[in-house]
Amino acid sequence: MKNLITILLLIAGLQSCDYATSNVQTLYTSDCGVSWKLIKAGESIPKAIGMCSYKVTIPDYPMQGESKFKTAFKDRVLANVEVTYDYEITDGILFISEAKYLGKSNTASEDQTNSSSAYETAENSVIDKRIKEVARELLIAEDITDFSQSDFEDRLLTAVNKLLQSKGVKLNFLSFVPIPD
């Protein structure tokens, strides 16, 4: 009887499941990241079978970011710019397709504690890049002497969100502060 209980406990331990938790998007792949499946909170995460099966967790809550860069206004007036923003990852599968290094096996993104440096890199390659691109495009026609910061922030937010939509990210707000050179 004692041996039977031990065997049953051992089998139960081997068959225990991990479950997707709230506040994160849990993505699972069984083909080395070629395709991903979103596991909803409370659902069981399939067991990893082989080297190409693993999970990645992505934050499902607002995060903050910042970017600093140099740009030119109308008539080549140079300014340093400081941008702070609040963003959410709205579609983990689109985001992981853009920030592929987060979706690699044996990385910090497999763990729910997630490496903050990994998401800092993702911000730089996905979000900051688009903010700089759109800001530089819009600012080249802006005269710094009659620059309306709040109007510009509204236009910038709309244009950047349009680009980020296909990357699975949405900016909730941003602050754009130009500092003339």
Side-chain angles (χ1 to χ4, degrees), residues 112-146:
Q112 274 188 291
T113 58
N114 285 320
S115 166
S116 60
S117 65
Y119 284 95
E120 179 70 30
T121 304
E123 286 173 19
N124 291 339
S125 67
V126 178
I127 300 170
D128 294 357
K129 179 179 172 182
R130 275 41 179 222
I131 291 173
K132 289 175 193 174
E133 177 184 318
V134 172
R136 287 181 172 145
E137 191 176 293
L138 294 174
L139 285 173
I140 203 70
E142 287 284 332
D143 190 341
I144 198 164
T145 57
D146 58 0

PDB file of all heavy atoms in Angstrom, residues 112-146:
ATOM      1  N   GLN A 112       8.534  34.271 -15.519  1.00  0.00           N
ATOM      2  CA  GLN A 112       7.568  35.344 -15.308  1.00  0.00           C
ATOM      3  C   GLN A 112       8.185  36.587 -14.698  1.00  0.00           C
ATOM      4  O   GLN A 112       7.603  37.649 -14.752  1.00  0.00           O
ATOM      5  CB  GLN A 112       6.422  34.868 -14.426  1.00  0.00           C
ATOM      6  CG  GLN A 112       5.346  34.203 -15.247  1.00  0.00           C
ATOM      7  CD  GLN A 112       4.143  33.897 -14.421  1.00  0.00           C
ATOM      8  OE1 GLN A 112       4.198  33.034 -13.566  1.00  0.00           O
ATOM      9  NE2 GLN A 112       3.080  34.595 -14.681  1.00  0.00           N
ATOM     10  N   THR A 113       9.364  36.485 -14.105  1.00  0.00           N
ATOM     11  CA  THR A 113       9.985  37.665 -13.531  1.00  0.00           C
ATOM     12  C   THR A 113      10.539  38.575 -14.615  1.00  0.00           C
ATOM     13  O   THR A 113      10.792  39.732 -14.353  1.00  0.00           O
ATOM     14  CB  THR A 113      11.122  37.272 -12.569  1.00  0.00           C
ATOM     15  OG1 THR A 113      12.082  36.501 -13.282  1.00  0.00           O
ATOM     16  CG2 THR A 113      10.591  36.493 -11.388  1.00  0.00           C
ATOM     17  N   ASN A 114      10.696  38.067 -15.814  1.00  0.00           N
ATOM     18  CA  ASN A 114      11.174  38.824 -16.981  1.00  0.00           C
ATOM     19  C   ASN A 114      12.322  39.783 -16.661  1.00  0.00           C
ATOM     20  O   ASN A 114      12.302  40.493 -15.687  1.00  0.00           O
ATOM     21  CB  ASN A 114      10.051  39.629 -17.628  1.00  0.00           C
ATOM     22  CG  ASN A 114       9.123  38.752 -18.403  1.00  0.00           C
ATOM     23  OD1 ASN A 114       9.567  37.832 -19.069  1.00  0.00           O
ATOM     24  ND2 ASN A 114       7.844  39.022 -18.307  1.00  0.00           N
ATOM     25  N   SER A 115      13.257  39.815 -17.501  1.00  0.00           N
ATOM     26  CA  SER A 115      14.395  40.707 -17.349  1.00  0.00           C
ATOM     27  C   SER A 115      14.016  42.109 -17.807  1.00  0.00           C
ATOM     28  O   SER A 115      13.551  42.305 -18.926  1.00  0.00           O
ATOM     29  CB  SER A 115      15.554  40.187 -18.201  1.00  0.00           C
ATOM     30  OG  SER A 115      16.546  41.152 -18.332  1.00  0.00           O
ATOM     31  N   SER A 116      14.199  43.089 -16.930  1.00  0.00           N
ATOM     32  CA  SER A 116      13.861  44.464 -17.309  1.00  0.00           C
ATOM     33  C   SER A 116      14.761  44.941 -18.445  1.00  0.00           C
ATOM     34  O   SER A 116      14.345  45.738 -19.273  1.00  0.00           O
ATOM     35  CB  SER A 116      13.968  45.398 -16.110  1.00  0.00           C
ATOM     36  OG  SER A 116      15.276  45.395 -15.594  1.00  0.00           O
ATOM     37  N   SER A 117      15.986  44.442 -18.507  1.00  0.00           N
ATOM     38  CA  SER A 117      16.874  44.855 -19.593  1.00  0.00           C
ATOM     39  C   SER A 117      16.372  44.332 -20.939  1.00  0.00           C
ATOM     40  O   SER A 117      16.544  44.975 -21.965  1.00  0.00           O
ATOM     41  CB  SER A 117      18.307  44.386 -19.332  1.00  0.00           C
ATOM     42  OG  SER A 117      18.373  42.981 -19.338  1.00  0.00           O
ATOM     43  N   ALA A 118      15.715  43.167 -20.936  1.00  0.00           N
ATOM     44  CA  ALA A 118      15.161  42.631 -22.189  1.00  0.00           C
ATOM     45  C   ALA A 118      14.059  43.539 -22.706  1.00  0.00           C
ATOM     46  O   ALA A 118      13.960  43.797 -23.902  1.00  0.00           O
ATOM     47  CB  ALA A 118      14.627  41.216 -21.972  1.00  0.00           C
ATOM     48  N   TYR A 119      13.230  44.053 -21.816  1.00  0.00           N
ATOM     49  CA  TYR A 119      12.146  44.931 -22.258  1.00  0.00           C
ATOM     50  C   TYR A 119      12.647  46.338 -22.551  1.00  0.00           C
ATOM     51  O   TYR A 119      12.071  47.041 -23.369  1.00  0.00           O
ATOM     52  CB  TYR A 119      10.981  44.910 -21.264  1.00  0.00           C
ATOM     53  CG  TYR A 119      10.235  43.617 -21.455  1.00  0.00           C
ATOM     54  CD1 TYR A 119      10.502  42.517 -20.664  1.00  0.00           C
ATOM     55  CD2 TYR A 119       9.350  43.465 -22.506  1.00  0.00           C
ATOM     56  CE1 TYR A 119       9.878  41.307 -20.897  1.00  0.00           C
ATOM     57  CE2 TYR A 119       8.718  42.266 -22.755  1.00  0.00           C
ATOM     58  CZ  TYR A 119       8.982  41.192 -21.945  1.00  0.00           C
ATOM     59  OH  TYR A 119       8.384  39.995 -22.198  1.00  0.00           O
ATOM     60  N   GLU A 120      13.730  46.742 -21.940  1.00  0.00           N
ATOM     61  CA  GLU A 120      14.366  48.010 -22.292  1.00  0.00           C
ATOM     62  C   GLU A 120      14.863  47.939 -23.733  1.00  0.00           C
ATOM     63  O   GLU A 120      14.684  48.861 -24.520  1.00  0.00           O
ATOM     64  CB  GLU A 120      15.528  48.304 -21.336  1.00  0.00           C
ATOM     65  CG  GLU A 120      16.266  49.583 -21.627  1.00  0.00           C
ATOM     66  CD  GLU A 120      15.461  50.828 -21.319  1.00  0.00           C
ATOM     67  OE1 GLU A 120      14.625  50.786 -20.422  1.00  0.00           O
ATOM     68  OE2 GLU A 120      15.681  51.846 -22.010  1.00  0.00           O
ATOM     69  N   THR A 121      15.458  46.822 -24.098  1.00  0.00           N
ATOM     70  CA  THR A 121      15.918  46.616 -25.465  1.00  0.00           C
ATOM     71  C   THR A 121      14.739  46.594 -26.429  1.00  0.00           C
ATOM     72  O   THR A 121      14.799  47.157 -27.523  1.00  0.00           O
ATOM     73  CB  THR A 121      16.722  45.306 -25.567  1.00  0.00           C
ATOM     74  OG1 THR A 121      17.798  45.369 -24.630  1.00  0.00           O
ATOM     75  CG2 THR A 121      17.277  45.102 -26.953  1.00  0.00           C
ATOM     76  N   ALA A 122      13.653  45.961 -26.019  1.00  0.00           N
ATOM     77  CA  ALA A 122      12.454  45.908 -26.860  1.00  0.00           C
ATOM     78  C   ALA A 122      11.884  47.312 -27.065  1.00  0.00           C
ATOM     79  O   ALA A 122      11.477  47.662 -28.171  1.00  0.00           O
ATOM     80  CB  ALA A 122      11.399  45.003 -26.235  1.00  0.00           C
ATOM     81  N   GLU A 123      11.851  48.114 -25.995  1.00  0.00           N
ATOM     82  CA  GLU A 123      11.393  49.500 -26.128  1.00  0.00           C
ATOM     83  C   GLU A 123      12.240  50.234 -27.158  1.00  0.00           C
ATOM     84  O   GLU A 123      11.715  50.949 -28.009  1.00  0.00           O
ATOM     85  CB  GLU A 123      11.513  50.243 -24.794  1.00  0.00           C
ATOM     86  CG  GLU A 123      10.482  49.881 -23.768  1.00  0.00           C
ATOM     87  CD  GLU A 123      10.771  50.524 -22.425  1.00  0.00           C
ATOM     88  OE1 GLU A 123      11.532  51.509 -22.355  1.00  0.00           O
ATOM     89  OE2 GLU A 123      10.223  50.032 -21.427  1.00  0.00           O
ATOM     90  N   ASN A 124      13.558  50.069 -27.075  1.00  0.00           N
ATOM     91  CA  ASN A 124      14.459  50.763 -27.991  1.00  0.00           C
ATOM     92  C   ASN A 124      14.240  50.343 -29.436  1.00  0.00           C
ATOM     93  O   ASN A 124      14.228  51.170 -30.337  1.00  0.00           O
ATOM     94  CB  ASN A 124      15.920  50.515 -27.614  1.00  0.00           C
ATOM     95  CG  ASN A 124      16.309  51.184 -26.317  1.00  0.00           C
ATOM     96  OD1 ASN A 124      15.671  52.128 -25.880  1.00  0.00           O
ATOM     97  ND2 ASN A 124      17.326  50.679 -25.679  1.00  0.00           N
ATOM     98  N   SER A 125      14.077  49.047 -29.665  1.00  0.00           N
ATOM     99  CA  SER A 125      13.983  48.576 -31.050  1.00  0.00           C
ATOM    100  C   SER A 125      12.579  48.683 -31.630  1.00  0.00           C
ATOM    101  O   SER A 125      12.433  48.766 -32.841  1.00  0.00           O
ATOM    102  CB  SER A 125      14.480  47.140 -31.155  1.00  0.00           C
ATOM    103  OG  SER A 125      13.620  46.276 -30.470  1.00  0.00           O
ATOM    104  N   VAL A 126      11.555  48.692 -30.806  1.00  0.00           N
ATOM    105  CA  VAL A 126      10.191  48.727 -31.324  1.00  0.00           C
ATOM    106  C   VAL A 126       9.575  50.114 -31.181  1.00  0.00           C
ATOM    107  O   VAL A 126       9.084  50.679 -32.150  1.00  0.00           O
ATOM    108  CB  VAL A 126       9.300  47.667 -30.620  1.00  0.00           C
ATOM    109  CG1 VAL A 126       7.870  47.736 -31.126  1.00  0.00           C
ATOM    110  CG2 VAL A 126       9.866  46.273 -30.825  1.00  0.00           C
ATOM    111  N   ILE A 127       9.620  50.692 -29.989  1.00  0.00           N
ATOM    112  CA  ILE A 127       8.893  51.938 -29.722  1.00  0.00           C
ATOM    113  C   ILE A 127       9.744  53.176 -30.019  1.00  0.00           C
ATOM    114  O   ILE A 127       9.340  54.043 -30.799  1.00  0.00           O
ATOM    115  CB  ILE A 127       8.390  51.967 -28.268  1.00  0.00           C
ATOM    116  CG1 ILE A 127       7.460  50.777 -28.024  1.00  0.00           C
ATOM    117  CG2 ILE A 127       7.674  53.274 -27.969  1.00  0.00           C
ATOM    118  CD1 ILE A 127       7.096  50.547 -26.577  1.00  0.00           C
ATOM    119  N   ASP A 128      10.904  53.283 -29.377  1.00  0.00           N
ATOM    120  CA  ASP A 128      11.737  54.479 -29.534  1.00  0.00           C
ATOM    121  C   ASP A 128      12.064  54.762 -30.996  1.00  0.00           C
ATOM    122  O   ASP A 128      12.061  55.903 -31.446  1.00  0.00           O
ATOM    123  CB  ASP A 128      13.040  54.351 -28.743  1.00  0.00           C
ATOM    124  CG  ASP A 128      12.822  54.307 -27.239  1.00  0.00           C
ATOM    125  OD1 ASP A 128      11.662  54.423 -26.798  1.00  0.00           O
ATOM    126  OD2 ASP A 128      13.810  54.137 -26.505  1.00  0.00           O
ATOM    127  N   LYS A 129      12.330  53.716 -31.727  1.00  0.00           N
ATOM    128  CA  LYS A 129      12.648  53.838 -33.157  1.00  0.00           C
ATOM    129  C   LYS A 129      11.499  54.523 -33.905  1.00  0.00           C
ATOM    130  O   LYS A 129      11.727  55.413 -34.719  1.00  0.00           O
ATOM    131  CB  LYS A 129      12.894  52.430 -33.708  1.00  0.00           C
ATOM    132  CG  LYS A 129      13.200  52.325 -35.150  1.00  0.00           C
ATOM    133  CD  LYS A 129      13.439  50.847 -35.485  1.00  0.00           C
ATOM    134  CE  LYS A 129      13.566  50.633 -36.961  1.00  0.00           C
ATOM    135  NZ  LYS A 129      13.739  49.212 -37.283  1.00  0.00           N
ATOM    136  N   ARG A 130      10.257  54.126 -33.618  1.00  0.00           N
ATOM    137  CA  ARG A 130       9.094  54.721 -34.293  1.00  0.00           C
ATOM    138  C   ARG A 130       8.850  56.156 -33.839  1.00  0.00           C
ATOM    139  O   ARG A 130       8.497  57.009 -34.642  1.00  0.00           O
ATOM    140  CB  ARG A 130       7.833  53.882 -34.021  1.00  0.00           C
ATOM    141  CG  ARG A 130       7.580  52.686 -34.923  1.00  0.00           C
ATOM    142  CD  ARG A 130       8.764  51.909 -35.246  1.00  0.00           C
ATOM    143  NE  ARG A 130       8.615  50.737 -36.075  1.00  0.00           N
ATOM    144  CZ  ARG A 130       9.256  49.619 -35.813  1.00  0.00           C
ATOM    145  NH1 ARG A 130       9.977  49.468 -34.726  1.00  0.00           N
ATOM    146  NH2 ARG A 130       9.183  48.612 -36.655  1.00  0.00           N
ATOM    147  N   ILE A 131       9.053  56.429 -32.557  1.00  0.00           N
ATOM    148  CA  ILE A 131       8.879  57.803 -32.046  1.00  0.00           C
ATOM    149  C   ILE A 131       9.870  58.737 -32.747  1.00  0.00           C
ATOM    150  O   ILE A 131       9.490  59.811 -33.226  1.00  0.00           O
ATOM    151  CB  ILE A 131       9.045  57.866 -30.517  1.00  0.00           C
ATOM    152  CG1 ILE A 131       7.871  57.166 -29.832  1.00  0.00           C
ATOM    153  CG2 ILE A 131       9.154  59.316 -30.039  1.00  0.00           C
ATOM    154  CD1 ILE A 131       8.021  57.015 -28.332  1.00  0.00           C
ATOM    155  N   LYS A 132      11.123  58.351 -32.817  1.00  0.00           N
ATOM    156  CA  LYS A 132      12.145  59.178 -33.479  1.00  0.00           C
ATOM    157  C   LYS A 132      11.802  59.396 -34.946  1.00  0.00           C
ATOM    158  O   LYS A 132      11.899  60.509 -35.456  1.00  0.00           O
ATOM    159  CB  LYS A 132      13.523  58.522 -33.369  1.00  0.00           C
ATOM    160  CG  LYS A 132      14.111  58.544 -31.997  1.00  0.00           C
ATOM    161  CD  LYS A 132      15.419  57.774 -31.975  1.00  0.00           C
ATOM    162  CE  LYS A 132      15.872  57.522 -30.559  1.00  0.00           C
ATOM    163  NZ  LYS A 132      17.057  56.675 -30.486  1.00  0.00           N
ATOM    164  N   GLU A 133      11.428  58.329 -35.611  1.00  0.00           N
ATOM    165  CA  GLU A 133      11.107  58.392 -37.031  1.00  0.00           C
ATOM    166  C   GLU A 133       9.971  59.385 -37.297  1.00  0.00           C
ATOM    167  O   GLU A 133      10.085  60.263 -38.158  1.00  0.00           O
ATOM    168  CB  GLU A 133      10.705  56.988 -37.491  1.00  0.00           C
ATOM    169  CG  GLU A 133      10.267  56.842 -38.916  1.00  0.00           C
ATOM    170  CD  GLU A 133       9.817  55.405 -39.191  1.00  0.00           C
ATOM    171  OE1 GLU A 133      10.475  54.457 -38.722  1.00  0.00           O
ATOM    172  OE2 GLU A 133       8.792  55.258 -39.879  1.00  0.00           O
ATOM    173  N   VAL A 134       8.888  59.273 -36.557  1.00  0.00           N
ATOM    174  CA  VAL A 134       7.728  60.139 -36.762  1.00  0.00           C
ATOM    175  C   VAL A 134       8.031  61.566 -36.318  1.00  0.00           C
ATOM    176  O   VAL A 134       7.688  62.528 -37.019  1.00  0.00           O
ATOM    177  CB  VAL A 134       6.489  59.592 -36.017  1.00  0.00           C
ATOM    178  CG1 VAL A 134       5.338  60.582 -36.076  1.00  0.00           C
ATOM    179  CG2 VAL A 134       6.069  58.254 -36.607  1.00  0.00           C
ATOM    180  N   ALA A 135       8.698  61.730 -35.178  1.00  0.00           N
ATOM    181  CA  ALA A 135       9.015  63.079 -34.679  1.00  0.00           C
ATOM    182  C   ALA A 135       9.892  63.829 -35.667  1.00  0.00           C
ATOM    183  O   ALA A 135       9.626  64.998 -35.973  1.00  0.00           O
ATOM    184  CB  ALA A 135       9.693  62.990 -33.318  1.00  0.00           C
ATOM    185  N   ARG A 136      10.906  63.179 -36.182  1.00  0.00           N
ATOM    186  CA  ARG A 136      11.797  63.852 -37.143  1.00  0.00           C
ATOM    187  C   ARG A 136      11.045  64.239 -38.412  1.00  0.00           C
ATOM    188  O   ARG A 136      11.275  65.306 -38.971  1.00  0.00           O
ATOM    189  CB  ARG A 136      12.991  62.963 -37.456  1.00  0.00           C
ATOM    190  CG  ARG A 136      13.962  62.894 -36.299  1.00  0.00           C
ATOM    191  CD  ARG A 136      15.164  62.038 -36.588  1.00  0.00           C
ATOM    192  NE  ARG A 136      16.116  62.178 -35.495  1.00  0.00           N
ATOM    193  CZ  ARG A 136      16.880  61.207 -35.044  1.00  0.00           C
ATOM    194  NH1 ARG A 136      16.830  60.005 -35.605  1.00  0.00           N
ATOM    195  NH2 ARG A 136      17.709  61.404 -34.047  1.00  0.00           N
ATOM    196  N   GLU A 137      10.153  63.378 -38.839  1.00  0.00           N
ATOM    197  CA  GLU A 137       9.363  63.668 -40.032  1.00  0.00           C
ATOM    198  C   GLU A 137       8.436  64.873 -39.811  1.00  0.00           C
ATOM    199  O   GLU A 137       8.290  65.724 -40.686  1.00  0.00           O
ATOM    200  CB  GLU A 137       8.542  62.418 -40.365  1.00  0.00           C
ATOM    201  CG  GLU A 137       7.871  62.427 -41.705  1.00  0.00           C
ATOM    202  CD  GLU A 137       7.177  61.082 -41.940  1.00  0.00           C
ATOM    203  OE1 GLU A 137       7.898  60.070 -42.073  1.00  0.00           O
ATOM    204  OE2 GLU A 137       5.936  61.059 -41.976  1.00  0.00           O
ATOM    205  N   LEU A 138       7.817  64.962 -38.650  1.00  0.00           N
ATOM    206  CA  LEU A 138       6.886  66.052 -38.355  1.00  0.00           C
ATOM    207  C   LEU A 138       7.595  67.363 -38.003  1.00  0.00           C
ATOM    208  O   LEU A 138       7.123  68.447 -38.346  1.00  0.00           O
ATOM    209  CB  LEU A 138       5.956  65.666 -37.193  1.00  0.00           C
ATOM    210  CG  LEU A 138       4.973  64.525 -37.437  1.00  0.00           C
ATOM    211  CD1 LEU A 138       4.235  64.181 -36.148  1.00  0.00           C
ATOM    212  CD2 LEU A 138       3.991  64.871 -38.548  1.00  0.00           C
ATOM    213  N   LEU A 139       8.728  67.266 -37.312  1.00  0.00           N
ATOM    214  CA  LEU A 139       9.405  68.469 -36.819  1.00  0.00           C
ATOM    215  C   LEU A 139      10.082  69.277 -37.917  1.00  0.00           C
ATOM    216  O   LEU A 139      10.282  70.482 -37.751  1.00  0.00           O
ATOM    217  CB  LEU A 139      10.440  68.104 -35.750  1.00  0.00           C
ATOM    218  CG  LEU A 139       9.866  67.740 -34.389  1.00  0.00           C
ATOM    219  CD1 LEU A 139      10.965  67.229 -33.480  1.00  0.00           C
ATOM    220  CD2 LEU A 139       9.147  68.918 -33.766  1.00  0.00           C
ATOM    221  N   ILE A 140      10.445  68.670 -39.003  1.00  0.00           N
ATOM    222  CA  ILE A 140      11.159  69.375 -40.061  1.00  0.00           C
ATOM    223  C   ILE A 140      10.326  70.530 -40.621  1.00  0.00           C
ATOM    224  O   ILE A 140      10.874  71.502 -41.154  1.00  0.00           O
ATOM    225  CB  ILE A 140      11.627  68.396 -41.169  1.00  0.00           C
ATOM    226  CG1 ILE A 140      12.809  68.965 -41.938  1.00  0.00           C
ATOM    227  CG2 ILE A 140      10.505  68.004 -42.076  1.00  0.00           C
ATOM    228  CD1 ILE A 140      14.072  69.015 -41.154  1.00  0.00           C
ATOM    229  N   ALA A 141       9.002  70.476 -40.428  1.00  0.00           N
ATOM    230  CA  ALA A 141       8.122  71.554 -40.893  1.00  0.00           C
ATOM    231  C   ALA A 141       7.673  72.466 -39.753  1.00  0.00           C
ATOM    232  O   ALA A 141       6.943  73.426 -39.980  1.00  0.00           O
ATOM    233  CB  ALA A 141       6.892  70.958 -41.575  1.00  0.00           C
ATOM    234  N   GLU A 142       8.114  72.202 -38.513  1.00  0.00           N
ATOM    235  CA  GLU A 142       7.705  72.979 -37.334  1.00  0.00           C
ATOM    236  C   GLU A 142       8.688  74.107 -37.056  1.00  0.00           C
ATOM    237  O   GLU A 142       9.881  73.873 -36.937  1.00  0.00           O
ATOM    238  CB  GLU A 142       7.639  72.080 -36.093  1.00  0.00           C
ATOM    239  CG  GLU A 142       6.485  71.137 -36.055  1.00  0.00           C
ATOM    240  CD  GLU A 142       5.169  71.809 -35.706  1.00  0.00           C
ATOM    241  OE1 GLU A 142       5.166  72.840 -35.002  1.00  0.00           O
ATOM    242  OE2 GLU A 142       4.141  71.292 -36.163  1.00  0.00           O
ATOM    243  N   ASP A 143       8.162  75.299 -36.903  1.00  0.00           N
ATOM    244  CA  ASP A 143       8.973  76.449 -36.498  1.00  0.00           C
ATOM    245  C   ASP A 143       9.046  76.436 -34.981  1.00  0.00           C
ATOM    246  O   ASP A 143       8.020  76.458 -34.297  1.00  0.00           O
ATOM    247  CB  ASP A 143       8.327  77.749 -36.993  1.00  0.00           C
ATOM    248  CG  ASP A 143       9.237  78.956 -36.812  1.00  0.00           C
ATOM    249  OD1 ASP A 143      10.185  78.878 -35.999  1.00  0.00           O
ATOM    250  OD2 ASP A 143       8.988  79.966 -37.489  1.00  0.00           O
ATOM    251  N   ILE A 144      10.258  76.413 -34.448  1.00  0.00           N
ATOM    252  CA  ILE A 144      10.420  76.283 -32.999  1.00  0.00           C
ATOM    253  C   ILE A 144       9.909  77.512 -32.238  1.00  0.00           C
ATOM    254  O   ILE A 144       9.531  77.410 -31.080  1.00  0.00           O
ATOM    255  CB  ILE A 144      11.891  75.965 -32.620  1.00  0.00           C
ATOM    256  CG1 ILE A 144      11.959  75.405 -31.193  1.00  0.00           C
ATOM    257  CG2 ILE A 144      12.778  77.191 -32.815  1.00  0.00           C
ATOM    258  CD1 ILE A 144      13.248  74.727 -30.848  1.00  0.00           C
ATOM    259  N   THR A 145       9.851  78.660 -32.909  1.00  0.00           N
ATOM    260  CA  THR A 145       9.406  79.879 -32.214  1.00  0.00           C
ATOM    261  C   THR A 145       7.922  79.861 -31.889  1.00  0.00           C
ATOM    262  O   THR A 145       7.499  80.457 -30.897  1.00  0.00           O
ATOM    263  CB  THR A 145       9.732  81.148 -33.038  1.00  0.00           C
ATOM    264  OG1 THR A 145       9.122  81.033 -34.319  1.00  0.00           O
ATOM    265  CG2 THR A 145      11.224  81.342 -33.160  1.00  0.00           C
ATOM    266  N   ASP A 146       7.101  79.203 -32.687  1.00  0.00           N
ATOM    267  CA  ASP A 146       5.674  79.127 -32.372  1.00  0.00           C
ATOM    268  C   ASP A 146       5.229  77.671 -32.171  1.00  0.00           C
ATOM    269  O   ASP A 146       4.101  77.296 -32.447  1.00  0.00           O
ATOM    270  CB  ASP A 146       4.819  79.822 -33.434  1.00  0.00           C
ATOM    271  CG  ASP A 146       5.017  79.250 -34.827  1.00  0.00           C
ATOM    272  OD1 ASP A 146       5.813  78.304 -34.977  1.00  0.00           O
ATOM    273  OD2 ASP A 146       4.367  79.737 -35.764  1.00  0.00           O
TER     274      ASP A 146
END
